[in-house]
C-alpha cells in the first residue's frame, strides 16, 4: 500500500541517517554519507517518495529555529512527516532511535511544536495518528493498551510503540503500570518508556527479557 511504501522509505532514511550540522542540507551528502541537517532529511525523503510515485512537498517552517519537513499524500489525504525529529539520539549513548512520533500526522498534531505559513501548502487530513490506527496500535484506554503491550512482550519484542489517547502524564502512566503488573505479570518486563508531556500521544516502550527486573522497573514498583 502507499502507507507501507511511505513507512519503508521513512524508516530506511531514519535508520541510515545521522543528524550532523557540519554536513549541511545537501541531499547528495545524505545519500552518499548518511549525514545532514533537516533540509537534507526532507530533500532526501522528497526525492525517494517522488521516485516511488508518491506526491510529496517540502515544508519550510519553524520549531525553536528554522526547520524543514515533508507533507505526503496517502490515499488522497495529506499528512506531515518529520523524519529529522523521528531520528532522536539517546543522550549518553549516541544511539539513534527510530520513532514514529511525527509520521503521518495532521496539522493539529504537529502544530504543538511546528509552525508554518498555512496558506502555502495543502490542509492536512483530520483523522489523527493514521499510522497507528492502520496498525491497530491506537488505544483510547489503558486496559486495551496494556493487553497489547503484554502480547508484544510475550512475542519476544524488545520495543513497542502505540498511540494512547488516555496517557495523562508520567505519574498517571506509572500508576497504571503498577496496578496492571498485578494481573499481567508480563508487564514487569517494561524497562523504560517515553511519552507526551500530558494528554495523549505516542508512547514508546522497551522491554527487558533477561528475567531480572531492571532498575527502571524497580523504581516504578517502589
Amino acid at each position: 500500500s502507499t502507507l507501507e511504501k511511505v513507512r519503508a522509505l521513512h524508516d530506511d532514511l531514519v535508520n541510515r541517517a545521522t543528524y550532523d550540522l557540519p554536513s549541511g542540507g545537501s541531499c547528495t551528502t545524505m545519500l552518499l554519507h548518511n549525514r545532514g541537517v533537516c533540509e537534507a532529511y526532507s530533500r532526501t525523503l522528497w526525492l525517494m517518495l517522488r521516485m516511488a510515485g508518491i506526491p510529496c512537498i517540502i515544508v519550510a517552517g519553524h520549531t525553536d529555529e528554522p526547520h524543514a519537513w515533508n507533507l505526503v499524500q496517502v490515499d488522497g489525504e495529506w499528512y506531515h512527516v518529520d523524519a529529522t525529529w523521528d531520528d532522536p539520539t539517546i543522550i549518553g549513548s549516541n544511539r539513534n532511535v527510530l520513532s514514529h512520533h511525527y509520521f503521518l500526522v495532521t496539522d493539529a498534531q504537529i502544530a504543538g511544536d511546528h509552525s508554518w505559513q498555512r496558506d502555502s501548502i495543502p490542509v492536512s487530513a483530520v483523522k489523527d495518528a493514521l499510522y497507528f490506527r492502520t496498525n491497530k496500535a491506537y488505544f483510547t484506554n489503558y486496559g486495551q493498551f496494556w493487553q497489547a503491550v503484554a502480547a508484544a512482550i510475550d512475542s519476544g519484542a524488545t520495543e513497542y510503540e502505540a498511540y494512547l489517547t488516555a496517557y495523562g502524564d508520567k505519574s498517571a502512566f506509572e500508576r497504571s503500570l503498577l496496578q496492571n503488573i498485578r494481573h499481567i505479570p508480563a508487564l514487569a518486563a517494561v524497562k523504560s518508556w517515553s511519552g507526551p508531556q500530558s494528554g495523549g500521544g505516542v508512547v514508546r516502550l522497551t522491554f527487558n527479557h533477561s528475567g531480572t527486573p531492571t532498575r527502571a522497573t524497580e523504581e516504578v514498583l517502589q
Side-chain angles (χ1 to χ4, degrees):
S1 69
T2 299
L3 189 153
E4 290 169 336
K5 292 177 183 177
V6 176
R7 179 190 174 181
L9 293 173
H10 165 273
D11 290 4
D12 185 66
L13 174 61
V14 171
N15 282 328
R16 291 174 181 270
T18 298
Y19 187 89
D20 183 58
L21 193 60
S23 295
S26 167
C27 177
T28 302
T29 301
M30 179 62 79
L31 289 169
L32 292 176
H33 304 292
N34 300 317
R35 308 185 76 83
V37 296
C38 61
E39 283 184 274
Y41 280 80
S42 59
R43 288 174 176 174
T44 303
L45 186 58
W46 174 88
L47 177 62
M48 294 193 297
L49 289 171
R50 292 299 297 266
M51 291 177 70
I54 299 171
C56 180
I57 297 170
I58 296 174
V59 182
H62 285 79
T63 51
D64 52 349
E65 60 184 2
H67 188 54
W69 65 95
N70 298 96
L71 200 66
V72 182
Q73 192 177 55
V74 177
D75 298 332
E77 300 278 5
W78 290 95
Y79 298 90
H80 295 269
V81 176
D82 190 340
T84 309
W85 280 31
D86 273 347
D87 191 14
T89 301
I90 295 180
I91 304 300
S93 71
N94 293 320
R95 182 168 73 86
N96 284 359
V97 175
L98 170 62
S99 167
H100 294 94
H101 283 64
Y102 296 91
F103 180 67
L104 300 181
V105 297
T106 64
D107 285 352
Q109 284 183 282
I110 203 167
D113 42 33
H114 290 56
S115 62
W116 66 98
Q117 188 175 342
R118 299 204 179 205
D119 59 1
S120 65
I121 62 173
V123 175
S124 79
V126 175
K127 185 174 288 187
D128 65 350
L130 175 68
Y131 166 72
F132 295 101
R133 288 177 184 271
T134 302
N135 286 280
K136 296 180 172 34
Y138 184 96
F139 304 101
T140 58
N141 63 72
Y142 267 116
Q144 297 171 343
F145 172 75
W146 289 126
Q147 291 293 338
V149 172
I153 296 171
D154 290 342
S155 73
T158 58
E159 298 178 339
Y160 183 70
E161 203 177 32
Y163 196 95
L164 178 62
T165 63
Y167 177 83
D169 56 28
K170 183 178 179 180
S171 296
F173 188 94
E174 291 177 345
R175 288 196 301 271
S176 181
L177 175 60
L178 178 59
Q179 292 167 359
N180 281 275
I181 283 177
R182 295 169 183 168
H183 61 271
I184 308 178
L187 298 183
V190 175
K191 177 181 178 182
S192 62
W193 67 86
S194 62
Q197 292 297 314
S198 62
V202 177
V203 181
R204 185 177 182 280
L205 304 97
T206 58
F207 310 127
N208 169 46
H209 287 284
S210 68
T212 302
T214 63
R215 180 176 180 181
T217 304
E218 290 172 345
E219 289 173 353
V220 172
L221 294 175
Q222 290 172 359

